[in-house]
């Protein structure tokens, strides 16, 4: 469906195809006909619902621009705006729904808005079961007081044919089914034109250089890990060049996120990695990028007041062991981890993923363990956690290699993650205080799309008891808890096929398109979760006083404004190079005949000739 505003005058045809079965219900049988004309958005809370019928006694006597009677819904006054001979064209009738506002009334505010889902229906008064309908949803506001359909229906067939919608006496009925819904976030159906993220939310986004949305989501997550940001600010960088120093470039990026009024450029940061512009148009592995960044900063912190900060914040310990069943022999080693990769496939929720991670494997038969001094033995093999870090990064394995297809695939399975989780049961030794292993969710990094392409964004809770926000490149918006959790669990294999209770015989083209959008949402799911240790929340989220921010970062605000302009030019130049590179990659994939997984581009630390120089992230 195309929703068309009068002022925009978009000429899109919204006619339903001919030959659809008639409705078994009259347009005046509101309860029964409602599912046929207006789909239910179950995730939205209804404030008010009204049906209004405008009986037109003489279609031919209407003005070229006509208004229907005013009716009230949810405290707002509404009416139909009708162009019987078309708006901006003369082939189709144009019908809109309009909010009537008295702009001169005392107390009038320009910031009003109301969200309505509505159906426009035209029916023959001699046979109210014979009607034509289309529906839309819109955020009505001062800038857009009306919304509807420029090409609602062909004018000629309204009055001609075997079953016209206007009878021989030139009479017809235009009906409005209007459902006003609650706008929890203040941006429901917002067109976001002239939207100011800083003004509306207090936060700003990061500009996408071409394919850096994966990096932007991670950078935002690290920025709101205040204990980490504070440590980054304390790295000595006064005499360094931001295009050659990852630490300084990240400091300047954080500073701009904190104080700038505009979206932040990451051109300096990617240049400090050693990337050229083309690299910024390639998506890389988020987990590997995170580790490379942390390794680089950890090296830079050595010998400084924040030496070991990365380890203290992100590092946990686990024990890998093999224990013989029939003899007294065990081999084990303690390993550090900075994130945990958890299975999604075959696991209904996060707890099951952890259980799968620590599952004990039995080594027997041809897979017996060679124990020193005991020969081949049946044994148990597994891992157990010794400690978890302050900030726990969980990588959900949404991308896997399919041996049969010889390609990478995305796992869109339904996988539930909680707001809080206690991990004591997965440790080798129980904690004296189990609450020390309580973790609270503060970040959900999301991928929308398939293995061949998609988009990354972050859902973050910046404050201890605060709200959740969506950080989608250069835009930040408030979100509901449903948008954080349920919307990112992935597809549900138990979902009933007729969950909307729509009779397929009466589905309009628009309802079919709506169903397709819901199907697309099933490819949107969490791939990384960020949990904070609950008992350390005050420490992790402690605010950073201005006096602890290096003074030499002040000039980064002006540099950011210049970088934003440069980004626009670079994007134009590199888009053509990217297309050429993609064609070359496609040719290489077609020529590849190996049975092993394709080797992905890797990020590594480039060793510098001088030990004082910064390490760089390079694509191999």
């Amino acid at each position: 469906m195309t929703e068309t505003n009068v002022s925009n005058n978009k000429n899109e045809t919204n006619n339903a195809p001919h030959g659809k079965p008639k409705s078994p219900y009259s347009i005046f049988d509101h309860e029964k006909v409602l599912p046929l004309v207006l789909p239910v958005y179950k995730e939205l809370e209804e404030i008010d619902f009204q049906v209004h019928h405008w009986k037109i006694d003489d279609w031919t006597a209407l003005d070229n621009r006509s208004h229907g009677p005013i009716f009230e819904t949810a405290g707002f006054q509404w009416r139909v705006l009708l162009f019987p001979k078309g708006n901006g064209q003369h082939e189709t009738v144009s019908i809109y729904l309009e909010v009537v506002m008295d702009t001169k009334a005392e107390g009038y505010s320009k910031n009003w808005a109301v969200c309505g889902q509505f159906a426009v229906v035209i029916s023959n008064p001699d046979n109210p079961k014979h009607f034509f309908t289309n529906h839309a949803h819109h955020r009505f506001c001062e800038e857009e007081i009306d919304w509807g359909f420029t090409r609602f229906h062909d004018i000629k067939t309204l009055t001609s044919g075997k079953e016209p919608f206007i009878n021989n006496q030139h009479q017809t009925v235009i009906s409005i089914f209007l459902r006003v819904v609650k706008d929890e976030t203040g941006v429901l159906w917002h067109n976001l034109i002239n939207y100011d993220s800083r003004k509306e939310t207090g936060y700003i986004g990061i500009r996408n250089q071409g394919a850096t949305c994966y990096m932007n989501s991670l950078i935002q997550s690290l920025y709101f890990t205040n204990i980490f940001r504070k440590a980054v600010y304390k790295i000595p960088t006064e005499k360094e060049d931001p295009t050659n120093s990852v630490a300084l470039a990240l400091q300047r990026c954080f500073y701009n996120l904190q104080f700038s009024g505009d979206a932040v450029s990451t051109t300096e940061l990617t240049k400090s990695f050693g990337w050229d512009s083309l690299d910024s148009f390639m998506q890389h592995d988020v987990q590997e990028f995170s580790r490379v960044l942390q390794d680089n900063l950890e090296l830079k912190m050595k010998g400084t007041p924040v030496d070991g900060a990365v380890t203290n914040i992100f590092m946990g310990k686990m024990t890998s062991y093999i224990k013989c069943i029939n003899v007294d022999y065990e081999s084990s080693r303690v390993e550090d981890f900075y994130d945990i990769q958890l299975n999604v496939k075959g696991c209904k929720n996060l707890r099951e993923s952890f259980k799968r991670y620590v599952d004990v494997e039995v080594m027997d038969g041809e897979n017996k363990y060679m124990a020193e001094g005991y020969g081949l033995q049946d044994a148990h093999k597994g891992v157990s956690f010794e400690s978890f870090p302050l900030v726990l990064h969980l990588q959900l394995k949404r991308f896997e290699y399919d041996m049969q297809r010889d390609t990478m695939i995305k796992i869109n399975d339904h996988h539930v993650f909680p707001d809080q989780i206690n991990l004591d049961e997965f440790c080798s030794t129980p904690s004296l205080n189990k609450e020390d292993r309580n973790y609270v969710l503060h970040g959900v990094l999301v991928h929308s799309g398939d293995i061949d392409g998609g988009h990354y964004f972050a859902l973050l809770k910046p404050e201890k008891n605060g709200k959740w926000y969506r950080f989608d490149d250069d835009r930040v918006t408030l979100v509901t808890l449903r948008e954080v959790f349920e919307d990112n669990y992935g597809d549900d294999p138990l979902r009933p096929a007729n969950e909307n209770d729509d009779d397929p015989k009466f589905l309009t083209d628009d309802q079919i398109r709506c169903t397709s959008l819901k199907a697309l949402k099933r490819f949107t799911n969490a791939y990384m979760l960020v949990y904070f240790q609950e008992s350390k929340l005050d420490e992790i989220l402690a605010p950073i006083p201005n006096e602890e921010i290096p003074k030499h970062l002040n000039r980064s605000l002006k540099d950011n404004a210049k970088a934003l302009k440069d980004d626009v030019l670079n994007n134009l130049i590199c888009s053509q190079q990217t297309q050429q590179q993609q064609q070359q990659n496609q040719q290489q994939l077609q020529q590849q005949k190996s049975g092993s997984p394709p080797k992905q581009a890797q990020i590594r630390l480039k060793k510098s000739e001088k030990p004082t120089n910064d390490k760089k992230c390079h694509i191999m």
Side-chain angles (χ1 to χ4, degrees):
M1 178 206 66
T2 301
E3 303 157 0
T4 309
N5 183 278
V6 175
S7 58
N8 291 341
N9 196 25
K10 297 178 184 176
N11 295 322
E12 299 289 345
T13 301
N14 292 291
N15 293 13
H18 297 290
K20 289 240 176 189
K22 293 181 182 178
S23 166
Y25 310 117
S26 164
I27 197 64
F28 299 105
D29 192 347
H30 300 163
E31 184 176 346
K32 292 182 179 179
V33 82
L34 180 61
L36 304 183
V37 300
L38 195 62
V40 176
Y41 293 172
K42 296 179 180 179
E43 66 272 17
L44 299 177
E45 180 182 343
E46 181 181 300
I47 296 177
D48 193 7
F49 174 76
Q50 297 291 333
V51 180
H52 169 72
H53 300 289
W54 175 21
K55 185 178 179 181
I56 300 175
D57 293 322
D58 188 353
W59 180 269
T60 60
L62 291 172
D63 293 333
N64 290 341
R65 179 187 176 105
S66 300
H67 286 104
I70 291 177
F71 63 99
E72 187 169 312
T73 307
F76 287 84
Q77 291 187 323
W78 309 75
R79 66 185 176 187
V80 172
L81 173 58
L82 172 64
F83 294 81
K85 296 181 181 179
N87 176 32
Q89 44 77 44
H90 302 292
E91 294 81 26
T92 59
V93 60
S94 304
I95 308 179
Y96 308 90
L97 178 63
E98 181 182 56
V99 177
V100 182
M101 298 293 292
D102 183 1
T103 58
K104 297 181 180 179
E106 185 178 353
Y108 173 79
S109 172
K110 294 182 179 181
N111 298 322
W112 69 270
V114 57
C115 296
Q117 183 197 10
F118 63 96
V120 178
V121 187
I122 188 168
S123 60
N124 190 319
D126 299 334
N127 180 12
K129 292 183 180 181
H130 179 55
F131 58 81
F132 177 84
T133 179
N134 212 338
H135 64 82
H137 62 260
H138 185 61
R139 180 185 188 86
F140 295 86
C141 57
E142 187 184 49
E143 293 80 14
E144 294 178 338
I145 63 170
D146 49 70
W147 199 257
F149 310 95
T150 298
R151 292 182 174 270
F152 181 74
H153 197 283
D154 182 73
I155 294 176
K156 292 181 180 179
T157 56
L158 281 176
T159 56
S160 61
K162 295 181 179 179
E163 296 179 316
F165 297 102
I166 301 176
N167 66 17
N168 294 332
Q169 290 77 41
H170 308 297
Q171 297 173 332
T172 191
V173 177
I174 294 179
S175 305
I176 299 294
F177 289 71
L178 174 59
R179 179 185 294 121
V180 174
V181 298
K182 184 177 181 180
D183 178 16
E184 293 185 55
T185 62
V187 291
L188 179 63
W189 303 331
H190 201 303
N191 61 22
L192 299 178
I193 296 175
N194 299 321
Y195 179 81
D196 187 330
S197 294
R198 178 71 82 186
K199 177 182 177 182
E200 299 297 334
T201 67
Y203 308 109
I204 57 170
I206 302 176
R207 188 178 179 86
N208 193 332
Q209 292 188 48
T212 55
C213 50
Y214 74 97
M215 180 183 74
N216 294 349
S217 60
L218 180 65
I219 294 297
Q220 291 280 20
S221 174
L222 293 174
Y223 171 79
F224 286 110
T225 307
N226 291 6
I227 189 173
F228 174 74
R229 185 180 5 142
K230 186 175 183 179
V232 169
Y233 278 151
K234 290 185 177 181
I235 301 174
T237 57
E238 292 88 342
K239 299 180 181 180
E240 297 181 357
D241 177 0
T243 60
N244 292 314
S245 168
V246 173
L248 178 55
L250 187 61
Q251 284 179 341
R252 286 162 65 91
C253 180
F254 282 176
Y255 185 89
N256 286 325
L257 284 171
Q258 191 165 349
F259 296 106
S260 176
D262 300 316
V264 174
S265 169
T266 54
T267 304
E268 281 185 352
L269 187 61
T270 53
K271 283 183 178 179
S272 74
F273 298 159
W275 293 359
D276 57 25
S277 298
L278 187 58
D279 291 324
S280 299
F281 276 76
M282 298 173 60
Q283 287 187 349
H284 307 302
D285 181 75
V286 176
Q287 181 190 24
E288 188 179 7
F289 173 76
S290 176
R291 285 301 307 125
V292 167
L293 184 61
Q294 290 177 4
D295 287 345
N296 189 292
L297 294 173
E298 197 168 12
L299 288 172
K300 193 68 179 176
M301 290 176 177
K302 287 189 178 297
T304 73
V306 285
D307 192 349
V310 171
T311 298
N312 296 335
I313 297 170
F314 298 104
M315 192 185 79
K317 292 184 178 293
M318 67 172 70
T319 298
S320 299
Y321 65 86
I322 299 178
K323 186 175 183 179
C324 293
I325 298 174
N326 301 315
V327 298
D328 186 17
Y329 183 87
E330 180 176 355
S331 173
S332 64
R333 68 177 184 275
V334 177
E335 301 174 344
D336 300 335
F337 70 85
Y338 289 82
D339 53 55
I340 306 171
Q341 293 190 60
L342 297 173
N343 284 322
V344 169
K345 197 173 185 64
C347 301
K348 295 180 181 179
N349 52 51
L350 192 63
R351 190 166 296 280
E352 285 192 11
S353 296
F354 266 103
K355 288 181 178 178
R356 176 79 63 86
Y357 196 90
V358 298
D359 269 353
V360 177
E361 175 188 351
V362 178
M363 304 178 68
D364 58 5
E366 296 182 355
N367 193 35
K368 286 187 177 183
Y369 174 64
M370 177 62 73
E372 185 177 354
Y374 294 96
L376 292 173
Q377 294 288 329
D378 294 340
H380 288 154
K381 179 182 179 181
V383 298
S384 62
F385 291 100
E386 301 299 321
S387 64
F388 291 102
L390 296 179
V391 177
L392 182 60
H393 284 180
L394 302 179
Q395 304 284 345
L396 302 183
K397 296 171 69 174
R398 289 286 183 185
F399 303 96
E400 292 185 357
Y401 178 70
D402 189 316
M403 294 290 292
Q404 293 183 342
R405 299 188 224 174
D406 187 25
T407 187
M408 294 293 292
I409 61 172
K410 184 180 178 186
I411 308 298
N412 291 299
D413 294 5
H414 193 75
H415 185 267
V416 177
F417 49 88
D419 180 42
Q420 298 185 33
I421 188 170
N422 184 279
L423 301 175
D424 192 60
E425 65 180 285
F426 306 111
C427 290
S428 57
T429 56
S431 174
L432 296 176
N433 184 4
K434 288 189 176 183
E435 292 184 358
D436 288 341
R437 288 169 180 165
N438 280 344
Y439 281 80
V440 180
L441 186 69
H442 270 261
V444 181
L445 276 60
V446 179
H447 178 263
S448 179
D450 209 341
I451 191 69
D452 295 325
H455 182 61
Y456 293 85
F457 60 89
L459 301 165
L460 304 171
K461 185 169 73 170
E463 299 179 359
K464 181 178 179 179
N465 298 310
K467 299 177 180 179
W468 284 86
Y469 296 86
R470 172 171 171 150
F471 294 81
D472 192 346
D473 286 337
D474 56 356
R475 185 171 291 147
V476 185
T477 55
L478 186 67
V479 293
T480 63
L481 291 178
R482 173 188 54 80
E483 292 175 278
V484 175
F485 293 92
E486 287 88 345
D487 283 2
N488 298 300
Y489 289 159
D491 194 11
D492 186 355
L494 301 179
R495 183 190 66 259
N498 61 338
E499 64 176 1
N500 293 323
D501 297 322
D502 289 326
D503 188 335
K505 297 192 300 295
F506 300 103
L507 282 177
T508 66
D509 284 355
D510 203 42
Q511 286 170 305
I512 293 172
R513 277 188 282 271
C514 182
T515 303
S516 300
L517 288 174
K518 289 183 178 179
L520 179 62
K521 285 185 177 181
R522 295 171 195 144
F523 294 92
T524 300
N525 35 59
Y527 71 92
M528 178 175 167
L529 305 174
V530 181
Y531 282 89
F532 292 167
Q533 189 175 352
E534 186 176 26
S535 60
K536 302 292 185 180
L537 276 178
D538 291 336
E539 179 183 350
I540 296 170
L541 295 172
I544 303 170
N546 288 344
E547 55 268 23
E548 294 188 19
I549 301 175
K551 293 182 179 180
H552 68 274
L553 298 180
N554 292 343
R555 63 177 180 268
S556 66
L557 288 176
K558 293 182 179 179
D559 294 340
N560 179 62
K562 180 179 182 299
L564 289 175
K565 295 180 182 178
D566 293 341
D567 283 349
V568 176
L569 179 61
N570 289 335
N571 286 350
L572 293 174
I573 295 174
C574 294
S575 59
Q576 185 175 2
Q577 297 178 354
T578 305
Q579 293 176 357
Q580 296 174 352
Q581 183 66 43
Q582 289 175 343
Q583 292 175 356
Q584 294 176 5
N585 292 342
Q586 186 65 30
Q587 293 174 356
Q588 293 175 359
L589 287 173
Q590 292 175 353
Q591 295 172 357
Q592 185 179 5
K593 297 182 180 179
S594 171
S596 58
K599 187 175 181 179
Q600 296 184 335
Q602 294 183 344
I603 307 172
R604 68 171 174 85
L605 291 176
K606 179 183 178 182
K607 295 182 178 180
S608 57
E609 296 179 359
K610 297 181 181 180
T612 56
N613 287 352
D614 291 312
K615 307 297 182 187
K616 290 189 177 181
C617 307
H618 261 247
I619 302 299
M620 297 297 293

